[in-house]
């Protein structure tokens, strides 16, 4: 979206971040005005968005790996077609998001480099393995379900390109969640063994899904500023609670038990209260020591390196054709 | 990184015949043919369009948002450009 050239900023003007400009910027945000790529914005707003949007993009790209694992082994042609379409969507979502991040003056190559070097983070959830077919259903239902909770408020984010990318993403995510839940429903109704497989997947994915909303509000370092800038609309804990309230009845409908002995419905508030999240596990996975962190990064690096000759050849081919056209024009003159 | 950057293209899609092409995002591609193919894969997976334009991003010239006032303010004072500026008696009917 928009051009890199347009985003070459005058560094002198952006250095003068006086209080007046900041106040005018905040007033625009407060008035629900959208901020567009070439508008003046505080450097910290720009940095926060680059970090958040690129992490989001990396998550979509790495998220293709755990599911891609099952494309060749999907049980029916219908499921295989759906899974292929879903994984392709995740790739597409990554690209919409990279485009949005690039409007902030960072190049695609830089962003990819940050992912491959391990400097940039991606959602911790994709560092868990997918050993059974039920995991594919659990990812659609829980992981995409949690992503939708996070992404719906982002459609109203103050930064125009991010908000527009999120609107597209949200339209497509609904299919992801529904195909996952339908797949699990079919398994739960088929046989005891298959239902056990689904229960096992739920046991493994439930807590990591809750962790997807990030640290609790008391420990979140970015929340307050992001709320003021209207990048975030709800806190991590608010979104997590919405997710739990929506998902627990869906698990019960499948006839499953949630792996949380402390889970109970508070009749007064109408909310499901859940047990303590293992934040040590969360930190461990974020720090690179989850079950599949190394495998995921190795797969991305391999794809990038093995594809280098294709990128080079495509550029060389384009250059050759340009040169030929140029030569033909000269000859004609 | 020693690799050369792959050029950026802006993508415009006509959602159905009779509608104008509308900007929807961007793609990276080595040449125009691959840019079209990438745009199709990225932006029209669910029948979103019947025609695609791709334009090298560097070829777009845009107005400067910080000059928005000077650029667009003059139109605000020209209310005589709007039909409601002119009084037509009701008896004349719709016009």
């Amino acid at each position: 979206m928009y051009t890199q050239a347009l985003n070459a900023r005058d560094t002198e003007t952006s250095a003068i971040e006086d209080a007046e400009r900041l106040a005018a910027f905040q007033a625009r945000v407060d008035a629900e005005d959208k901020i567009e790529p070439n508008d003046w914005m505080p450097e910290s707003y720009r940095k926060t968005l680059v970090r958040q949007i690129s992490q989001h993009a990396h998550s979509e790209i790495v998220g293709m790996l755990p599911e891609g694992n099952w494309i060749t082994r999907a049980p029916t042609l219908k499921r295989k077609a759906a899974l292929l379409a879903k994984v392709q969507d995740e790739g597409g979502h990554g690209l919409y998001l990279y485009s949005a991040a690039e409007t902030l003056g960072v190049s695609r190559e830089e962003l990819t480099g940050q992912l491959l070097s391990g400097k940039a983070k991606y959602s911790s959830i994709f560092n868990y393995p997918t050993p059974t077919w039920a995991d594919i259903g659990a990812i659609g239902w829980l992981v995409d379900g949690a992503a939708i909770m996070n992404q719906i408020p982002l459609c109203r984010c103050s930064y125009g390109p991010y908000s527009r990318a999120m609107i597209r993403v949200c339209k497509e995510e609904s299919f992801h969640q529904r195909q996952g839940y339908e797949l699990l429903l079919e398994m739960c109704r088929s046989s005891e063994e298959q239902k056990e497989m689904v229960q096992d997947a739920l046991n493994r994915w439930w807590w990591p899904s809750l962790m997807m909303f990030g640290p609790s509000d008391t420990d979140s370092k970015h929340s307050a500023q992001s709320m003021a800038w209207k990048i975030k609309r709800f806190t991590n804990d608010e979104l997590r609670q919405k997710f739990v309230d929506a998902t627990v009845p869906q698990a019960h409908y499948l006839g499953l038990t949630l792996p949380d002995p402390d889970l109970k419905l508070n009749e007064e508030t109408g909310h499901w209260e859940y047990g303590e999240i293992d934040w040590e596990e969360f930190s461990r996975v974020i720090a690179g020591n989850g079950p599949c962190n190394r495998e995921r990064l190795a797969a991305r690096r391999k794809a990038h390196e093995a594809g280098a000759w294709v990128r080079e050849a495509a550029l060389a081919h384009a250059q050759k054709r340009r040169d030929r056209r140029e030569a033909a024009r000269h000859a004609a003159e | 990184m020693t690799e050369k950057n792959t050029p950026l293209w802006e993508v415009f899609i006509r959602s159905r015949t009779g509608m104008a092409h509308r900007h929807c995002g961007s793609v990276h591609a080595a040449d125009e043919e691959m840019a079209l193919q990438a745009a199709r894969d990225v932006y029209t997976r669910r029948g979103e369009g019947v025609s695609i334009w791709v334009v090298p991003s560097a070829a777009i010239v845009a107005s400067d948002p910080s000059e928005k006032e000077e650029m667009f303010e003059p139109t605000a004072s020209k209310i005589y450009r709007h039909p409601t500026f002119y009084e037509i008696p009701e008896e004349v009917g719709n016009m």
Side-chain angles (χ1 to χ4, degrees):
Chain A
M1 293 171 199
Y2 309 92
T3 79
Q4 285 170 326
L6 285 174
N7 287 308
R9 296 181 312 285
D10 183 342
T11 44
E12 285 204 352
T13 51
S14 66
I16 318 163
E17 292 202 349
D18 54 333
E20 214 171 291
R21 271 185 137 169
L22 283 170
F25 175 83
Q26 189 62 49
R28 282 189 66 189
V29 170
D30 291 343
E32 300 285 335
D33 201 1
K34 292 280 185 234
I35 307 301
E36 293 297 337
N38 302 314
D39 292 346
W40 184 86
M41 62 185 84
E43 273 311 303
S44 45
Y45 177 83
R46 185 184 300 277
K47 261 171 93 175
T48 300
L49 278 170
V50 169
R51 181 178 49 79
Q52 181 172 336
I53 302 173
S54 62
Q55 276 182 14
H56 198 159
H58 299 327
S59 302
E60 301 281 356
I61 299 299
V62 177
M64 296 166 82
L65 297 170
E67 292 183 291
N69 184 32
W70 278 92
I71 290 175
T72 56
R73 289 174 285 157
T76 64
L77 189 57
K78 170 188 157 187
R79 296 292 175 201
K80 185 174 187 161
L83 185 56
L84 257 175
K86 179 181 189 298
V87 173
Q88 194 193 10
D89 274 353
E90 306 299 0
H93 297 174
L95 296 179
Y96 307 155
L97 287 159
Y98 281 129
S99 286
E102 285 171 82
T103 63
L104 292 157
V106 57
S107 74
R108 175 76 58 90
E109 285 77 5
E110 274 175 81
L111 296 173
T112 307
Q114 287 167 3
L115 171 67
L116 299 182
S117 72
K119 188 184 163 224
K121 303 272 180 241
Y122 55 86
S123 183
S124 60
I125 194 84
F126 300 116
N127 291 313
Y128 290 87
T130 46
T132 76
W133 174 246
D135 291 325
I136 298 307
I139 289 180
W141 171 40
L142 299 172
V143 176
D144 289 286
I148 291 170
M149 283 293 172
N150 257 322
Q151 288 166 351
I152 285 176
L154 285 173
C155 294
R156 293 189 293 129
C157 164
S158 60
Y159 188 56
Y162 193 23
S163 127
R164 293 192 285 275
M166 280 297 103
I167 292 169
R168 276 193 89 91
V169 168
C170 283
K171 275 189 194 159
E172 297 179 354
E173 287 283 3
S174 170
F175 140 61
H176 298 179
Q177 194 185 19
R178 289 171 66 105
Q179 64 85 34
Y181 192 77
E182 190 209 64
L183 180 168
L184 296 177
L185 191 60
E186 199 173 300
M187 287 183 81
C188 287
R189 285 173 176 167
S190 293
S191 70
E192 266 315 302
E193 287 86 350
Q194 290 193 36
K195 190 174 173 186
E196 268 170 40
M197 203 183 261
V198 175
Q199 180 66 56
D200 168 64
L202 175 61
N203 294 348
R204 286 179 289 109
W205 290 96
W206 177 249
W207 290 106
S209 299
L210 295 194
M211 292 174 197
M212 281 178 72
F213 295 92
S216 79
D217 295 349
T218 45
D219 300 321
S220 177
K221 20 174 211 189
H222 304 298
S223 263
Q225 183 59 72
S226 288
M227 298 278 276
W229 278 332
K230 298 194 194 282
I231 294 173
K232 273 179 91 132
R233 298 277 177 168
F234 297 97
T235 68
N236 295 351
D237 286 336
E238 282 168 347
L239 290 168
R240 190 165 13 242
Q241 186 63 55
K242 274 180 190 242
F243 174 73
V244 171
D245 290 341
T247 313
V248 169
Q250 293 165 355
H252 291 159
Y253 185 82
L254 292 172
L256 304 175
T257 314
L258 289 141
D260 177 359
D262 297 325
L263 185 78
K264 60 174 189 299
L265 182 67
N266 182 327
E267 300 279 357
E268 264 171 53
T269 61
H271 292 302
W272 285 92
E273 292 172 355
Y274 50 91
E276 189 63 33
I277 291 172
D278 181 357
W279 292 114
E280 271 177 35
E281 176 181 332
F282 178 69
S283 313
R284 203 164 54 236
V285 180
I286 289 275
N289 299 311
C292 302
N293 295 57
R294 285 172 196 80
E295 189 185 325
R296 299 291 183 240
L297 268 190
R300 288 311 311 155
R301 285 191 190 120
K302 185 177 164 214
H304 187 75
E305 285 159 17
W309 72 270
V310 180
R311 294 190 294 277
E312 282 162 22
L315 285 171
H317 178 66
Q319 185 62 48
K320 198 167 78 184
R321 283 182 47 209
R322 264 199 306 275
D323 293 346
R324 270 198 203 137
R325 269 202 304 261
E326 199 66 13
R329 220 179 49 212
H330 278 298
E333 275 166 12
Chain B
M1 230 173 275
T2 52
E3 268 182 67
K4 270 198 288 180
N5 289 4
T6 304
L8 186 65
W9 305 75
E10 299 305 310
V11 180
F12 299 81
I13 291 182
R14 186 201 291 286
S15 56
R16 53 176 199 273
T17 46
M19 306 290 281
H21 284 78
R22 195 170 157 187
H23 184 251
C24 70
S26 61
V27 292
H28 285 271
D31 62 26
E32 62 277 10
E33 209 176 308
M34 282 193 276
L36 267 181
Q37 285 169 2
R40 188 214 41 194
D41 289 348
V42 176
Y43 293 104
T44 64
R45 290 194 302 282
R46 288 178 175 78
E48 290 92 337
V50 293
S51 163
I52 303 176
W53 288 349
V54 289
V55 180
S57 298
I60 291 182
V61 180
S63 65
D64 183 345
S66 67
E67 286 165 13
K68 197 168 64 186
E69 305 286 297
E70 303 91 292
M71 189 86 166
F72 302 107
E73 193 282 330
T75 67
S77 58
K78 295 178 178 58
I79 50 170
Y80 48 83
R81 289 185 171 177
H82 298 279
T84 46
F85 181 75
Y86 304 93
E87 303 264 341
I88 304 288
E90 239 171 69
E91 303 91 275
V92 179
N94 252 350
M95 187 179 280

